[in-house]
Structure formats: structure tokens, C-alpha cells
């Protein structure tokens, strides 16, 4: 089969130099595995970390791709819930399923967990014609959800769902601040918070504010402005008047890091929550501890989510209550351009690729 392969790293982000379309052996399912013909796969930032060879050196030769969707073509003899012809999407969180964390319902805390297409290999990811995964790492795609929507959702939707529902436990009527509202993470953050009846303030750069509002955000603020936090606080004051509550934010949805962190802490109400899953603009943040102890702030970390949360998210996609936002669809031939576009961040939603 055809696969998008690299055999060396590109720390200079020159992906065109390393990405090659190659013939590799077709996978045969092991007894607990499913093989599916990849219709389309979604790009994630872990593709870039893999190609750079840092922060960790992933196995070479490598096939990236954590979010793949397509039709099942073969199943192992022990597979019971999926059959040939089913449409499936990957749940790229490969955990052991027997350790204390896994059996406690926290597969994301499994110490032997690997992200498929990032840490797996050699030659084991979703950018190929036929992908293979354990049965537990695929989820059937509901009838009225396309492969494109499923591939554009899997990793970011489960991560967003887990942050807001699993960790922050948002409730109707709360004020939720979604940072980076136009990114893959942000587009789901806005929609999930609205699905749960929250008032949503999203931040984005100026040219993407309308995209946030179209997704359902009640307010959108340009986070590149120096005093973006003051604008958010003014909005919460108006909301507080309506609700007869105190101004401030109940939950901050954080995946940006960098210089915004301390301002986010300052915006939180007493007893409120900040949940964080990333640090795309910097991890070494300044924290004014007074915000945390005096206001009794909950600082929650979050990584990916559970298979069951992915099933929940796919259900709401099928009900039309959440949409997958697709920026563009490419082929393996222009994979380097697609990844460069993601790196530069000039996009709204997810970038996808097809093998053909
Ligand atoms: Zn485990």
C-alpha cells in the first residue's frame, strides 16, 4: 500500500525534504485488531513534533496521523464489536487497559499510553491507505456523520470534551472563556460550552472573531490587544448584572499558555476553574499565586480523553449540535504544504489529507 513516510527528522521544518510517498506492506490484523481503508485523516500538531524529532525522537521510518477515518476491510478473530464494511474513526489514545489508571476510567493517565501516529512505529500511523488499530481504539461513525467530519473531530473533540465536561464539569449558566476560539481546539470548546448552556466569551485574532461568533460564541475578543482582559471583564460585568451574580469567569479553557496565563487567572471568580491542555505560545508562565490561593482557584491539567467521551462527542455531531470545522483537504502529494499551513496557523478548524 501507499503511505506517507519519513526516514529522518526535519528540525528546520523543511517537511518537503523528508516526506515521501512510499510502498509499504499491507497490514494484516492481529487477533484483536481492525484494518480499515483510510478515506481521510486529520493533521495534528503532534505531526510537527514528530517530524522535528523533538521534544522526543519518535521511531523511524515513521508514518504520522492520529485521526484517521474509513471503512473496515478486515478484522482479527477476537474482534466482536466491529465488522467489515463498518465506517470507523480512530481513537488515537493507545493505553494498556489493565493498569490501575486504565481500570479506574482514566486511560489518559496510563503510564504506558502512546499517541498513535506520533509515538508509535516504525511505520504505524494513519497517513496510509490501510490503517490497523486495536478494536478498542476505533469507534463506529454514526450514519449521518461523514468520514471528513469524524477525522476532523477525533483528537480535538475528545480533548475539548474531556477538558470542559470531564475535568471542569461546566454547568448551564456559567460564563466560560474559550481562549484561541478559532483553532481546532477552540472551535470545539465554543460549541461544547454552548451545548451545555454556558455563556461563552471566545478570544481570537481580529480577522477570526466572526468565525467564533458564527460557531455560537456570545462574545468574541481580540486577544492580541494589550487590554483584551479588560474587555472580557467588562463583558462579565454586564452578564453579572443580568444573572445577579459577581463579575468574572467561571471556567477558563486554556491551551495557549504564554503571556495570557496570569491575566486568565485574574479574570476568574472566587472558587472558579482554569483547565489547561497545551502551551502553544510558551510553557514557562508567570503565576501570581495570590490569584490561586486567595480566590480558591482550581487549576486543572488535562490530556486527551476517554473512548467513551469520543462516543459522546460523535453522538452530538450526529445530532447536528456540534460541527466539525474543516479548513481544507489536501492529498499526500502536498502534505508538506498542508503541514506548513498548520504550523503558520493561518487556518480556521482542521486540515485533512487523503491518500488519493
Ligand atoms: Zn493503563
Amino acid at each position: 500500500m501507499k503511505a506517507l513516510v519519513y526516514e529522518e527528522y526535519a528540525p528546520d521544518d523543511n517537511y518537503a525534504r523528508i516526506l515521501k510517498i512510499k510502498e509499504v506492506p499491507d497490514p494484516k490484523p492481529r487477533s484483536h485488531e481492525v484494518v480499515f481503508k483510510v478515506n481521510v485523516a486529520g493533521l495534528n500538531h503532534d505531526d510537527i513534533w514528530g517530524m522535528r524529532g523533538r521534544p522526543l525522537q519518535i521511531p523511524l521510518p515513521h508514518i504520522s496521523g492520529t485521526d484517521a477515518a474509513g471503512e473496515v476491510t478486515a478484522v482479527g478473530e477476537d474482534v466482536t464489536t466491529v465488522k467489515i464494511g463498518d465506517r470507523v474513526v480512530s481513537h488515537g489514545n493507545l493505553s494498556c487497559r489493565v493498569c490501575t489508571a486504565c481500570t479506574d476510567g482514566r486511560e489518559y493517565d496510563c503510564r504506558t499510553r502512546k499517541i498513535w501516529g506520533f509515538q508509535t512505529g516504525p511505520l504505524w500511523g494513519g497517513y496510509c491507505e490501510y490503517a490497523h488499530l486495536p478494536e478498542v481504539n476505533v469507534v463506529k461513525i454514526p450514519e449521518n456523520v461523514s468520514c471528513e467530519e469524524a477525522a476532523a473531530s477525533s483528537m480535538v473533540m475528545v480533548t475539548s470534551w474531556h477538558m470542559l465536561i470531564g475535568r471542569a464539569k461546566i454547568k448551564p449558566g456559567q460564563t466560560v472563556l474559550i481562549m484561541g476560539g478559532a483553532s481546532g481546539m477552540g472551535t470545539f470548546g465554543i460549541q461544547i460550552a454552548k451545548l451545555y448552556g454556558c455563556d461563552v466569551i471566545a478570544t481570537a485574532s481580529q480577522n477570526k472573531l466572526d468565525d467564533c461568533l458564527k460557531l455560537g460564541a456570545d462574545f468574541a475578543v481580540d486577544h492580541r490587544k494589550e487590554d483584551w482582559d479588560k474587555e472580557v471583564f467588562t463583558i462579565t460585568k454586564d452578564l453579572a448584572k443580568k444573572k445577579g451574580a459577581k463579575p468574572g469567569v467561571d471556567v477558563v479553557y486554556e491551551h495557549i499558555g504564554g503571556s495570557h496565563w496570569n491575566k486568565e487567572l485574574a479574570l476568574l471568580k472566587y472558587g472558579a476553574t482554569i483547565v489547561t491542555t497545551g502551551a502553544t505560545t510558551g510553557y514557562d508562565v508567570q503565576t501570581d499565586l495570590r490569584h490561586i490561593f486567595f480566590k480558591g482557584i482550581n487549576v486543572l491539567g488535562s490530556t486527551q480523553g476517554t473512548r467513551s467521551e469520543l462516543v459522546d462527542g460523535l453522538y452530538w455531531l450526529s445530532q447536528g449540535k456540534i460541527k466539525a470545522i474543516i479548513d481544507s483537504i489536501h492529498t499526500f502529494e502536498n502534505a508538506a504544504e498542508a503541514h506548513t499551513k498548520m504550523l503558520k496557523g493561518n487556518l480556521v478548524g482542521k486540515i485533512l489529507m487523503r491518500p488519493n
Side-chain angles (χ1 to χ4, degrees):
M1 68 164 174
K2 209 163 70 169
L4 185 68
V5 178
Y6 59 91
E7 294 174 327
E8 56 184 313
Y9 303 120
D12 57 353
D13 293 324
N14 183 354
Y15 312 131
R17 180 173 59 79
I18 60 165
L19 287 174
K20 311 269 188 258
I21 298 170
K22 294 210 158 188
E23 275 297 319
V24 301
D26 285 355
K28 299 220 167 19
R30 288 188 288 167
S31 67
H32 65 298
E33 280 188 335
V34 168
V35 172
F36 60 99
K37 187 175 195 318
V38 176
N39 176 305
V40 68
L43 274 63
N44 285 291
H45 276 272
D46 60 21
D47 301 347
I48 286 174
W49 305 329
M51 286 192 281
R52 284 178 179 168
R54 61 171 202 267
L56 66 158
Q57 299 216 321
I58 46 86
L60 296 176
H62 196 78
I63 297 175
S64 293
T66 304
D67 291 338
E71 192 176 310
V72 174
T73 57
V75 295
E77 67 215 43
D78 295 330
V79 170
T80 59
T81 61
V82 177
K83 59 184 190 308
I84 292 173
D86 284 346
R87 292 181 318 132
V88 293
V89 64
S90 56
H91 168 49
N93 186 16
L94 303 180
S95 60
C96 80
R97 307 273 159 186
V98 292
C99 74
T100 310
C102 281
T103 52
D104 189 39
R106 295 180 293 116
E107 57 180 91
Y108 41 82
D109 285 337
C110 177
R111 298 306 297 269
T112 56
R113 178 177 76 96
K114 283 190 173 163
I115 298 174
W116 179 55
F118 174 43
Q119 293 155 295
T120 55
L123 297 176
W124 191 22
Y127 298 154
C128 57
E129 287 181 295
Y130 292 91
H132 65 107
L133 277 170
E135 176 183 15
V136 72
N137 286 103
V138 298
V139 172
K140 279 194 227 175
I141 303 173
E143 240 174 48
N144 51 347
V145 174
S146 67
C147 282
E148 289 81 0
E149 291 170 303
S153 304
S154 184
M155 169 88 106
V156 279
M157 185 170 68
V158 78
T159 304
S160 307
W161 195 276
H162 184 60
M163 285 174 78
L164 289 170
I165 314 302
R167 297 290 282 149
K169 303 191 185 340
I170 53 172
K171 295 189 190 90
Q174 286 189 319
T175 301
V176 178
L177 176 63
I178 304 288
M179 299 300 294
S183 64
M185 284 294 300
T187 57
F188 281 106
I190 291 171
Q191 296 181 89
I192 294 167
K194 284 313 295 177
L195 178 67
Y196 270 68
C198 300
D199 291 315
V200 173
I201 307 169
T203 76
S205 47
Q206 183 65 39
N207 60 337
K208 295 176 184 169
L209 296 179
D210 278 345
D211 296 306
C212 296
L213 295 171
K214 274 188 215 145
L215 283 167
D218 301 289
F219 307 92
V221 172
D222 178 358
H223 61 205
R224 298 212 172 140
K225 281 191 196 158
E226 187 55 35
D227 58 353
W228 68 269
D229 52 321
K230 294 201 177 83
E231 200 174 329
V232 170
F233 192 70
T234 304
I235 293 167
T236 70
K237 277 208 277 197
D238 293 341
L239 285 172
K241 265 184 222 155
K242 268 193 249 164
K243 297 179 191 174
K246 297 280 180 208
V249 171
D250 293 295
V251 174
V252 175
Y253 175 92
E254 159 57 38
H255 55 109
I256 294 179
S259 57
H260 297 317
W261 176 259
N262 224 15
K263 289 183 173 176
E264 292 163 13
L265 291 178
L267 281 167
L268 286 169
K269 289 181 186 171
Y270 282 55
T273 296
I274 185 164
V275 57
T276 174
T277 199
T280 45
T281 69
Y283 57 85
D284 192 10
V285 296
Q286 282 250 316
T287 298
D288 182 338
L289 280 173
R290 292 171 296 183
H291 293 310
I292 294 179
F293 70 76
F294 196 70
K295 294 197 294 185
I297 298 301
N298 306 298
V299 179
L300 305 179
S302 191
T303 303
Q304 286 198 323
T306 65
R307 184 184 191 279
S308 146
E309 287 171 321
L310 177 57
V311 173
D312 284 345
L314 284 167
Y315 171 77
W316 289 109
L317 262 183
S318 79
Q319 298 302 301
K321 298 287 187 184
I322 302 176
K323 289 194 196 88
I325 307 302
I326 297 167
D327 178 86
S328 49
I329 304 182
H330 303 253
T331 60
F332 285 177
E333 276 77 17
N334 57 15
E337 291 94 314
H339 280 93
T340 303
K341 183 175 165 67
M342 178 172 65
L343 177 68
K344 293 196 169 153
N346 185 24
L347 67 162
V348 176
K350 295 286 285 182
I351 298 178
L352 307 180
M353 279 196 305
R354 289 189 204 283
N356 300 299

